[in-house]
Amino acid sequence: MSEKNWPLWEVFIRSRNGMAHRHVGSVHAVDAAMALQNARDVYTRRGEGLSVWVVPSTAITASDPDDKDMLFEPTATKIYRHPTFYEIPDEVGHM
Amino acid sequence: MYTQALNTREAPAAVTDPEREARFQARVDAELKIEPNDWMPDAYRRTLVRQIAQHGHSEIVGMLPEGNWITRAPSLKRKAALLAKVQDEGGHGLYLYAAAETLGVSREELVEQLLSAKAKYASIFNYPTLSWADIGVIGWLVDGAAIMNQIPLCRCSFGPYARAMIRICKEESFHQRQGYEIMLTLCRGNAEQKAMAQDALDRWWWPVLMMFGPSDRDSQHTDHSMRWKIKRFTNDELRQKFVDATVPQARYLGLQVPDLALAFNEATGHWEFGVIDWDEFKRVIAGDGPCNRQRLAARRAAHDAGAWVREAALAYADKRRRRSQAASAGSGEVDSGSPPRTCATRGIAAE
């Protein structure tokens, strides 16, 4: 096909007040305004959102899955980072 | 149906990297999701691209038989519902194309494969919608069969496909219920309306059963797809589930399922049904169904008619970009595109 490809955009939607924007999918569009319009049409047909972000897919830097262990494994052994690691006597009450 | 692509023969791939392949299979067996950047066997990638693409094409072509009735819906309420349903199908096609694109195929390639008839779509959409009752039957049975097929796909091992299916299944439920309600209204109407409902069921019943694909006896691909947890149930298992769920619904409508062999087996608790005409199925898949040519011609015409819009949109975006660059160069400002107001997106899109 001889046509020039339309860039890809990642779509993030905030579903309710107070919630963070969440990745919901992607759309193709020639520019940011069209990406917003397409994201609204494709991903919010049933009141799913109060706010939409679109980000050029090429602007996202992702971690390499091969580095997963190196990056995330070390925290598995650091159980002292969790509140349940510490013993508090029952008499002290809820803390 | 929407998994008909999984019935195509995949050339047995040589194991190129046994160690990675074993690790991959272990992840699949442990019900962990495979994400686009993870290593995967070539055959897994090929199977998924073909399957997700054909599923997407089915949604897009599936807009045509129903679109046929938008302007002739019997009331404003029905028209609004049908418009919303057809719009959903378009949305489903887009979710699925996006999922396929994560595997390295471009949207343009996908569209080209559909228009050149290189890729297939679900056989069911090659049947004509002759009366308003067909719109009821499509929602009730075609979308009903789709749900049967798609619910297990929500647990598919490939993350983007599974996530698209979850979204789609939520929306399909409306499709099925609106279809059944159309049938109910017709069946509670006058004799002519009820006859219309029966006629639609007579024409669609067997093609709908074919949507689940060839019998397990004739389908060689189930093995691979099951081991990779793309598919969870065999064609015949899903077809049986569908028949068991649907026969009581037809009875409630007071309609006759057009199968003289249909009988309830007390021992198994299942409805037994007659023999499917697999020659018809093969003919329709091969391109010789009642509407194959018409459907492709409609898609090609829509694509060609939209060419100038796509070109104009790109030219307009280019022009605006050049103008904004010229303006910021003139005012001495550094143009950084449109700077994000927060950096809250960091770390979100690692999947």
Side-chain angles (χ1 to χ4, degrees):
Chain A
M1 206 162 274
S2 58
E3 281 176 50
K4 205 174 139 205
N5 297 2
W6 285 14
L8 191 66
W9 301 71
E10 297 305 319
V11 180
F12 299 82
I13 289 178
R14 176 162 64 211
S15 55
R16 274 181 294 140
N17 260 329
M19 302 290 279
H21 284 73
R22 196 163 160 259
H23 184 238
V24 294
S26 32
V27 293
H28 285 275
V30 293
D31 58 18
M34 189 199 256
L36 264 186
Q37 179 67 48
N38 289 354
R40 177 255 182 206
D41 289 346
V42 177
Y43 292 103
T44 67
R45 288 195 300 282
R46 288 177 176 76
E48 288 93 335
L50 299 173
S51 164
V52 183
W53 287 348
V54 288
V55 180
S57 302
T58 50
I60 288 174
T61 308
S63 64
D64 187 335
D66 289 341
D67 296 339
K68 197 167 58 191
D69 289 350
M70 180 184 77
L71 289 173
F72 308 116
E73 178 61 26
T75 65
T77 53
K78 296 183 172 55
I79 53 172
Y80 48 82
R81 287 184 172 172
H82 297 279
T84 46
F85 182 74
Y86 303 92
E87 294 277 352
I88 304 288
D90 285 348
E91 301 87 84
V92 178
H94 176 73
M95 183 180 283
Chain B
M1 65 149 338
Y2 287 157
T3 51
Q4 273 170 359
L6 294 177
N7 301 316
T8 333
R9 185 175 271 291
E10 175 67 61
V15 175
T16 47
D17 194 338
E19 198 187 312
R20 288 184 123 172
E21 198 145 339
R23 228 182 308 150
F24 167 85
Q25 188 62 46
R27 287 192 64 190
V28 170
D29 291 342
E31 299 287 340
L32 294 172
K33 292 279 183 257
I34 305 301
E35 296 296 339
N37 293 330
D38 293 335
W39 186 89
M40 61 186 84
D42 284 344
Y44 177 83
R45 183 184 299 271
R46 273 200 308 274
T47 301
L48 272 172
V49 168
R50 194 182 52 221
Q51 162 57 27
I52 302 173
Q54 293 195 17
H55 195 160
H57 298 327
S58 303
E59 301 281 359
I60 298 297
V61 176
M63 297 164 81
L64 296 171
E66 290 180 293
N68 188 33
W69 281 90
I70 290 175
T71 54
R72 288 176 283 167
S75 70
L76 191 56
K77 171 187 150 190
R78 296 291 184 203
K79 184 172 179 158
L82 185 57
L83 257 178
K85 179 182 188 299
V86 172
Q87 194 193 1
D88 274 353
E89 309 297 2
H92 296 174
L94 296 180
Y95 306 158
L96 287 161
Y97 283 157
E101 285 168 68
T102 65
L103 290 162
V105 61
S106 77
R107 175 74 55 93
E108 287 74 11
E109 282 173 81
L110 292 170
V111 171
E112 196 273 330
Q113 285 169 4
L114 171 65
L115 298 183
S116 66
K118 220 172 103 196
K120 303 224 181 304
Y121 52 86
S123 52
I124 194 75
F125 301 118
N126 291 313
Y127 290 86
T129 42
L130 302 180
S131 81
W132 171 252
D134 290 27
I135 299 305
V137 165
I138 288 180
W140 169 37
L141 297 184
V142 175
D143 288 271
I147 292 172
M148 223 33 119
N149 229 279
Q150 291 175 152
I151 283 181
L153 286 174
C154 296
R155 295 188 291 130
C156 162
S157 58
F158 186 59
Y161 193 25
R163 289 190 286 273
M165 289 324 304
I166 290 170
R167 228 188 141 80
I168 289 175
C169 282
K170 275 188 201 160
E171 299 180 351
E172 295 277 10
S173 175
F174 137 60
H175 299 175
Q176 192 185 16
R177 290 171 66 110
Q178 68 91 34
Y180 195 72
E181 200 202 71
I182 290 174
M183 295 305 282
L184 254 182
T185 309
L186 287 171
C187 290
R188 286 171 177 166
N190 60 32
E192 209 181 331
Q193 287 167 325
K194 183 147 187 195
M196 205 163 103
Q198 181 64 56
D199 168 64
L201 178 60
D202 290 347
R203 282 181 291 110
W204 288 88
W205 176 256
W206 291 103
V208 165
L209 291 194
M210 293 173 200
M211 287 167 65
F212 293 93
S215 163
D216 298 346
R217 285 184 300 267
D218 308 318
S219 164
Q220 319 93 331
H221 284 282
T222 296
D223 276 4
H224 255 96
S225 315
M226 298 272 259
R227 192 160 55 83
W228 285 331
K229 296 195 195 287
I230 296 173
K231 209 171 165 175
R232 299 272 176 171
F233 298 98
T234 68
N235 296 348
D236 285 338
E237 283 167 352
L238 288 170
R239 189 165 14 241
Q240 185 64 56
K241 267 180 163 205
F242 174 78
V243 172
D244 289 342
T246 308
V247 171
Q249 294 166 356
R251 300 215 149 174
Y252 185 84
L253 293 171
L255 294 179
Q256 196 70 43
V257 173
D259 179 359
L260 294 174
L262 191 76
F264 189 70
N265 183 328
E266 294 281 353
T268 61
H270 292 300
W271 285 92
E272 284 168 2
F273 50 95
V275 183
I276 293 171
D277 179 358
W278 293 116
D279 287 339
E280 176 179 332
F281 175 70
K282 281 179 203 148
R283 257 196 330 271
V284 177
I285 285 276
D288 222 5
C291 299
N292 295 56
R293 286 173 201 83
Q294 196 184 329
R295 298 294 182 238
L296 270 188
R299 284 313 310 153
R300 287 187 190 128
H303 189 76
D304 292 346
W308 73 270
V309 179
R310 294 191 294 277
E311 283 163 25
L314 266 177
Y316 180 64
D318 273 346
K319 185 179 86 178
R320 299 227 318 176
R321 207 169 294 124
R322 275 198 308 273
R323 274 199 188 156
S324 102
Q325 276 163 1
S328 57
S331 66
E333 280 171 28
V334 181
D335 179 44
S336 57
S338 29
R341 263 166 295 184
T342 75
C343 54
T345 53
R346 269 190 304 182
I348 294 182
E351 55 181 37

